[in-house]
Amino acid sequence: MPENFLKSIQRLGSEEDRIAESVLEAGAEVVETNVRSRLSGVIGSGTKLPSRSTGQLLSSLGVSTVKLDRSGNHNIKVGFAEPRSGGKSNAKIANILEYGRHGQPAKPFLKPAKTASKAACIEAMRQKFEEEVQKL
């Protein structure tokens, strides 16, 4: 094998954690943007009464830092920060929007965002990985 290739493989191994984090962050950015767009489209739409939206749900949407699980896998999450003023949970409000409740129809935004952003997320992660490998 060419010596340059072997050196690149060695550097890749020593930079694995940093590369994994940047690749996951690139993918999460795509998903978060899609979720934010879809969420802003469903908040306050199709209501019989004027919307009582405070903007807290949308502003609490974000991306976690990359963490290692017990198995040594890198994880990142797109979701809602807690707590919410007023005693309710952001996760509960998001769940009610997504699935509805008695007298309130469902306004799915999470599942459609997941479906719509899957290919773009994978592509962003692939591009970031290739960019990081080129730097080695």
Side-chain angles (χ1 to χ4, degrees):
M1 293 207 174
E3 191 172 324
N4 289 343
F5 177 73
L6 292 174
K7 286 182 180 179
S8 292
I9 295 292
Q10 279 182 322
R11 285 193 302 263
L12 180 64
S14 65
E15 295 288 319
E16 175 188 0
D17 288 339
R18 183 188 62 76
I19 292 171
E21 287 181 13
S22 65
V23 167
L24 286 172
E25 287 166 354
E29 183 180 325
V30 170
V31 174
E32 191 261 345
T33 300
N34 200 320
V35 171
R36 184 172 299 281
S37 171
R38 290 177 185 273
L39 177 59
S40 64
V42 301
I43 291 177
S45 68
T47 59
K48 292 178 185 176
L49 300 173
S51 175
R52 297 180 307 181
S53 175
T54 62
Q56 289 184 65
L57 186 63
L58 192 59
S59 66
S60 72
L61 180 62
V63 178
S64 72
T65 58
V66 177
K67 296 181 181 160
L68 284 174
D69 65 12
R70 294 180 196 164
S71 303
N73 297 318
H74 293 83
N75 291 308
I76 194 166
K77 295 179 180 168
V78 175
F80 300 97
E82 299 292 349
R84 176 185 178 93
S85 65
K88 294 183 180 174
S89 163
N90 283 318
K92 179 181 176 182
I93 302 296
N95 189 33
I96 291 170
L97 273 175
E98 181 78 8
Y99 298 106
R101 66 178 177 185
H102 180 73
Q104 182 175 342
K107 297 178 188 175
F109 67 96
L110 284 172
K111 189 171 182 179
K114 176 185 171 189
T115 303
S117 61
K118 183 176 181 179
C121 175
I122 291 170
E123 181 60 23
M125 291 171 70
R126 186 188 62 75
Q127 286 178 354
K128 186 65 172 179
F129 178 75
E130 288 176 1
E131 178 185 310
E132 293 291 337
V133 169
Q134 292 298 320
K135 291 179 186 177
L136 299 177

